[in-house]
Amino acid sequence: MTVRRLFGTNGIRGVVGRDIDVDFAYSVGSSVGVLFKKRRVVVGWDGRVSSRMLSEALVGGLLAQGVDVDDCGLITTPALQFLVKNTGASGGVMVTASHNPPEYNGFKVVDSDGIEIAREKEEKVEALIERNSWRAGRSPGVRTPRQAPLQPYFAHLESHVEKEREKLQGLRVVVDPGNGVSALTTPTVLGRLGCEVLTINDNIDGGFPGRPSEPRPDTLATLSRIVREAKADLGVAHDGDGDRAIFADETGRVHWGDRTLTLVADEVLRENPGGKVVTPVNSSMALEEVVKKRRGKLVLTKVGSIFVSRTMVKIGAVLGGEENGGIFYTPHHPVRDGTMATLLVLKALARNSLPLSRLLDRLPRFMMAKEKFQCKSDGAKKKAMARLRTKLKGRVSSELDGLRVDVKDKGWVLVRPSGTEPLLRLYAEGWTEDDLSALTGEFKPLVQAALKD
Ligand code: MG
């Protein structure tokens, strides 16, 4: 029997009504119930319109397998992961499609250590869903609503900025949760720390009326404007489930995640000399430079938060991060957490007593470009990658994830299929603007041709 692969790089994702429905959610709940063997599972969901419906079916499946459910309701992914790890639960499930458009939803399955389950366990879940034969037990589990689920999470977050607490008071921060569930976390934590908090798009709404759920420099014009108008120290934007953070400096300039990651790495390695940092193969050369300067060690992984998390645990890394705004900080929890990331950036501000733009400007700078190319289907995505591999024969420097070509004294290019959407992504980084245009000028037409053939 061939088992259909359901998990992508970030859990199970799909369009509701087409790929995912209540029967499927019941199957996910049942199979996770079997996986975690009749113990206690923490469940939560994001603000998508379909999340409530899917979580009810998911919980039904878990209870039918005799598993007790600790029900957190609306919560961010990192807060749920923190609770799983710190309450002795056997696992957790978050109903979310992260930053995807409103019609999507999905499931992130979390292990007892608060990190998404490893591939072997995903395969077990996939096989159980494929078999689709559930026997409801005679003694169903008990569902208990969790009271104030965020309180222990908030207290733990605050403990990481204890020393800087005084300097954080009065910092003016604009928070843009993008109508996602981080409206419940970041503004509250910053408020408790004495920051002056302004929020936009802070009504949780699965239609994402304020802006697309993915925080990117091109979707954050409002944040940028409000930061300038309010003379704020910085602005931060999260994705739908609150695990990513993209920052605007006090001039309103919005930076990609690897700029802030590089800043945070510089600070964290200052406190942890020789520490290890984990990042996917598409991160900036600037991070490499800073880690080298601090005598740390940079370890590259495939793209996907689970690879970063699991590698961090395996090698004992202190920090991890992704160019899309994911920052993983082991002293808190080695998963990406948009609120923790915000505290780390504020900590850098407090420790250096300099504006964010200055802190970022003094880091090594290279020029980066990112493009996405729509594909007709997942099959077309695979075919295009195969054609590209043939075309680039002899030039590919790494196939850790997608195809990476390093061009001497110019920079690098990476083309990889998205793990969650029918897209090919192209990343390019040049030493100078001219190098970058030369790289994109050569590789963009190559990708377009590979898609057309
Ligand atoms: Mg997310």
Side-chain angles (χ1 to χ4, degrees):
M1 186 176 81
T2 53
V3 174
R4 189 160 64 101
R5 185 159 184 166
L6 299 170
F7 284 87
T9 42
N10 280 300
I12 300 174
R13 296 270 176 90
V15 173
V16 179
R18 187 190 73 191
D19 315 311
I20 288 182
D21 57 16
V22 284
D23 288 338
F24 182 75
Y26 181 81
S27 285
V28 173
S30 306
S31 58
V32 171
V34 173
L35 182 77
F36 290 128
K37 292 192 188 74
K38 299 188 178 174
R39 286 183 48 207
R40 188 169 56 85
V41 169
V42 183
V43 171
W45 54 88
D46 72 9
R48 283 165 195 274
V49 180
S50 58
S51 288
R52 188 67 203 228
M53 166 185 87
L54 294 173
S55 59
E56 290 298 319
L58 171 91
V59 168
L62 285 162
L63 296 176
Q65 293 307 314
V67 172
D68 291 337
V69 171
D70 206 351
D71 182 348
C72 295
L74 279 176
I75 194 165
T76 63
T77 297
L80 177 118
Q81 291 180 296
F82 178 84
L83 273 179
V84 171
K85 184 187 173 193
N86 293 289
T87 60
S90 40
V93 185
M94 178 74 188
V95 180
T96 180
S98 189
H99 65 277
N100 286 163
E103 61 274 22
Y104 281 78
N105 215 329
F107 306 90
K108 283 186 184 173
V109 183
V110 176
D111 217 330
S112 57
D113 59 1
I115 300 175
E116 286 134 291
I117 53 171
R119 183 64 200 143
E120 310 88 76
K121 288 189 180 171
E122 288 179 354
E123 279 168 6
K124 274 189 197 156
V125 172
E126 285 165 350
L128 286 162
I129 292 176
E130 182 82 31
R131 204 179 62 191
N132 198 24
S133 154
W134 311 111
R135 245 182 312 158
R138 287 210 187 123
S139 47
V142 176
R143 177 184 199 166
T144 316
R146 191 167 186 93
Q147 303 301 323
L150 292 168
Q151 293 310 315
Y153 171 70
F154 289 159
H156 204 260
L157 283 171
E158 285 170 38
S159 71
H160 301 295
V161 286
E162 215 38 72
K163 272 190 256 164
E164 295 78 16
R165 216 179 164 109
E166 224 165 278
K167 284 191 171 169
L168 294 181
Q169 297 196 0
L171 284 180
R172 191 176 291 169
V173 184
V174 184
V175 182
D176 176 3
N179 306 111
V181 276
S182 62
L184 303 171
T185 54
T186 304
T188 312
V189 175
L190 298 188
R192 281 167 59 142
L193 288 166
C195 296
E196 197 183 315
V197 186
L198 286 85
T199 52
I200 56 171
N201 303 320
D202 66 342
N203 54 321
I204 299 174
D205 185 332
F208 302 117
R211 61 162 168 87
S213 181
E214 182 169 18
R216 304 164 46 91
D218 54 313
T219 59
L220 300 178
T222 311
L223 176 71
S224 160
R225 180 171 56 80
I226 304 284
V227 166
R228 277 194 318 269
E229 284 175 5
K231 298 197 174 14
D233 293 290
L234 62 90
V236 58
H238 299 299
D239 67 331
D241 65 336
D243 55 0
R244 282 158 59 166
I246 291 286
F247 294 86
D249 66 30
E250 81 289 355
T251 71
R253 196 151 59 110
V254 181
H255 299 267
W256 275 112
D258 42 10
R259 293 303 289 165
T260 32
L261 170 63
T262 305
L263 171 65
V264 167
D266 198 22
E267 290 295 318
V268 169
L269 291 182
R270 197 142 67 103
E271 278 184 298
N272 301 270
K276 292 175 187 155
V277 178
V278 177
T279 194
V281 66
N282 59 345
S283 280
S284 168
M285 297 185 279
L287 179 62
E288 207 178 313
E289 295 284 305
V290 161
V291 173
K292 229 189 274 169
K293 182 191 81 185
R294 294 275 179 213
R295 300 186 193 287
K297 186 171 181 236
L298 187 69
V299 176
L300 298 182
T301 65
K302 285 171 75 152
V303 176
S305 69
I306 182 169
F307 302 115
V308 177
S309 284
R310 293 268 164 227
T311 306
M312 286 175 72
V313 172
K314 202 166 134 197
I315 66 169
V318 62
L319 184 74
E322 302 169 308
E323 49 71 44
N324 62 18
I327 288 185
F328 312 54
Y329 182 57
T330 298
H332 179 63
H333 188 21
V335 300
R336 60 181 172 195
D337 185 326
T339 308
M340 187 65 237
T342 309
L343 295 188
L344 288 168
V345 170
L346 284 171
K347 193 169 164 156
L349 237 63
R351 284 177 51 150
N352 293 283
S353 303
L354 278 176
L356 184 56
S357 65
R358 289 273 305 282
L359 289 177
L360 291 166
D361 278 346
R362 62 184 194 180
L363 298 171
R365 174 169 291 280
F366 302 97
M367 308 312 294
M368 198 183 246
K370 294 166 203 199
E371 305 272 347
K372 43 187 175 185
F373 301 86
Q374 206 67 42
C375 304
K376 283 193 197 87
S377 63
D378 283 339
K381 197 158 79 171
K382 271 194 200 129
K383 269 190 204 156
M385 285 304 293
R387 285 189 201 111
L388 206 57
R389 183 175 288 112
T390 315
K391 268 187 202 158
L392 294 175
K393 218 174 165 212
R395 296 180 66 191
V396 175
S397 47
S398 165
E399 287 200 54
L400 183 61
D401 194 350
L403 300 165
R404 176 167 163 145
V405 176
D406 286 83
V407 182
K408 199 168 183 281
D409 299 328
K410 268 203 164 52
W412 56 270
V413 176
L414 174 77
V415 183
R416 62 175 290 273
S418 160
T420 53
E421 291 170 89
L423 293 175
L424 289 189
R425 294 187 190 276
L426 179 142
Y427 306 83
E429 189 172 39
W431 288 81
T432 64
E433 193 71 68
D434 285 350
D435 293 337
L436 180 64
S437 358
L439 290 169
T440 50
E442 183 191 352
F443 283 84
K444 267 169 72 175
L446 281 177
V447 176
Q448 277 154 345
L451 279 164
K452 250 186 226 145
D453 283 356

